[in-house]
Amino acid sequence: MKDQCQEGVRTFDEYEGFITLESFIANQQSLHPQSRGFFADILRRIGVASKIIQAKVRRAGLVDILGKQGQINVQGEEQMKLDILAQEVIMNTLQWLPAVAGVASEEEEDVIRLPPHPDENDTYVLLFDPLDGSSNIDANVSIGTIFSIMRRRTDSGTCAMSDFLQPGHQQIAAGYVVYGSSTMMVYSTGNGVHGFTMDPAVGEYVLSHPNMRFPDTCTCFSANDSNYADWDEPTRKFADHIRFGSDPRYQNTSSRYIGSMVVDFHRNLLYGGVYLYPADHKNKQGKLRLLYECSPLAWLAEQAGGTATTGSQPVLEVVPHELHQRVPIVIGNKQEVELYERFVREHEGS
Ligand code: AHG
Ligand code: MN
Ligand code: MN
């Protein structure tokens, strides 16, 4: 464990290898003695919210939380009961935190402005995809929660839309929780990506994957292949190159697509690979949401030695012009994302 901990962080030998999320956050906080702990509190609370959501998810099928809610959200998508439930849990758990000025969510049309805390500057805004992979819920397939934390731009008082409409490189933390064969929280505050697995026996997240990095192999190619005919030419060429070409790097690459972006991303982070949801005839701007899905995962990708592009620019440089903006995305190992960009450039030059 000692070798895997980042420089400057105590090694937790006293815990004999049992480092909980709580102790990890406390240790990180101790590196900033001037900090008042508000930011650490947000991370802790996200951990708590995810525990509540995972408890609900684990009982799906036993209690009446499967199926559709009967409402269409701002994305034009039918909401599942668990989408709403996860959203409520997140709001109930986070809204009383000092220093949080507002919350934006894939499930809410407008941002939720929280009442200003008189003694604070309410420094942060939070952005969520409360439940990613909703279409998989009823089939008991892995799903997740994605979050992003930004420092607000305006000084004080009630937050403004401009506090949320910031490019991804302005994030100060991002992460996700996967509800899979185990529950895992993965996040970064800009010092590497760290993964914590829930130990159900103690009800705590325990550091299981310190300093996660994409392995330098392209084990997985992840895309919704049924859209192939609707992709543009460089995207089709890229997919063909990996799947049918003679490049030795891709001789052992397999297609893997769950349909929960966060879980596809997580698998590719562990095994190496590339995930894409490009623009197509149905989704002219791409399908995935910049602020709740693409930006946070792109930030984690960069922290883990990978990267993400829209095809024309790095995802982290896209300046949002609206809250629920969608973008095309290709994300994962640097080599594959750069290969995609090369196909795009070559196409433009031809
Ligand atoms: P959400 O459940 O938050 O609406 O997101 C679903 C997204 C993403 O997670 C997934 O990769 C993608 O939609 C799947 O889309 P297709 O069904 O078109 O492949
Ligand atoms: Mn989603
Ligand atoms: Mn969602």
Side-chain angles (χ1 to χ4, degrees), residues 77 106 129-134 144 146 261-262 288-289 292-293:
E77 294 164 351
E106 188 189 275
D129 179 352
L131 213 64
D132 180 59
S134 309
I146 310 173
M261 182 204 197
V262 66
L288 299 173
R289 274 70 35 150
Y292 317 114
E293 296 169 320

Side-chain angles (χ1 to χ4, degrees), residues 292-313:
Y292 317 114
E293 296 169 320
C294 300
S295 254
L297 295 186
W299 203 68
L300 289 166
E302 300 263 349
Q303 284 290 318
T307 190
T309 184
T310 64
S312 54
Q313 69 182 135

